[in-house]
């Protein structure tokens, strides 16, 4: 029998189509991934980004810069609050944080918003 930590988490699809990454901006304590159609992924803690299968958070944020020009095929969140960004060649995950909102996905066109809740879970609206 699988333990709760090893069960696959139900996913909440946050975006219903693919989007091209137009830019990646590194700010003081956060990273913003800009996608076509005025969609943004804001990662509030750069210390929590996992690139592909790495167990440890990435140390070199330049890896995220390699996403510019690539197509994000899927943006989803696990019920427990982990963001999963999938491209043809990479999977980026951002877990929730116990104390603050670790990430958000914002659409300037539709006003849709999803965010990791402090301590786990996802708040979203369409």
């Amino acid at each position: 029998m699988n333990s709760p930590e090893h069960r696959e988490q139900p996913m909440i699809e946050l975006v219903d189509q693919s989007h091209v990454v137009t830019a990646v901006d590194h700010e003081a304590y956060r990273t913003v991934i800009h996608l076509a159609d005025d969609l943004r992924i804001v990662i509030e803690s750069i210390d929590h980004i996992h690139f592909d299968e790495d167990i440890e958070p990435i140390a070199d944020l330049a890896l995220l810069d390699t996403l510019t020009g690539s197509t994000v095929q899927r943006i989803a969140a696990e019920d427990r609050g982990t963001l999963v960004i999938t491209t043809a060649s990479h999977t980026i995950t951002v877990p929730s944080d116990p104390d603050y909102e670790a990430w958000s996905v914002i659409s300037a066109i539709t006003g849709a918003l999803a965010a990791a809740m402090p301590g786990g879970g996802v708040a979203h609206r369409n």
Side-chain angles (χ1 to χ4, degrees):
M1 185 157 138
N2 288 337
S3 68
E5 305 87 51
H6 293 98
R7 286 189 196 138
E8 193 160 318
Q9 294 289 313
M11 298 295 278
I12 302 164
E13 299 296 325
L14 302 177
V15 176
D16 62 357
Q17 63 184 357
S18 297
H19 293 273
V20 174
V21 176
T22 58
V24 177
D25 293 329
H26 304 289
E27 299 173 1
Y29 293 102
R30 68 182 193 167
T31 295
V32 180
I33 300 171
H34 300 270
L35 299 131
D37 300 324
D38 289 325
L39 189 66
R40 291 179 296 147
I41 302 169
V42 180
I43 302 170
E44 296 293 344
S45 175
I46 57 178
D47 297 332
H48 287 52
I49 301 169
H50 298 267
F51 210 83
D52 295 324
E53 297 291 325
D54 289 338
I55 295 170
E56 297 297 320
I58 63 172
D60 185 0
L61 291 179
L63 286 173
L64 290 177
D65 294 334
T66 67
L67 296 176
T68 301
S70 65
T71 299
V72 171
Q73 299 167 331
R74 183 178 192 213
I75 304 171
E78 296 175 350
D79 281 348
R80 66 179 176 217
T82 296
L83 178 68
V84 180
I85 305 164
T86 306
T87 70
S89 53
H90 300 291
T91 299
I92 298 100
T93 57
V94 183
S96 63
D97 186 272
D99 300 317
Y100 62 90
E101 182 180 290
W103 58 264
S104 58
V105 177
I106 306 159
S107 171
I109 293 174
T110 66
L113 170 70
M117 299 294 293
V122 178
H124 60 94
R125 66 175 167 83
N126 293 335

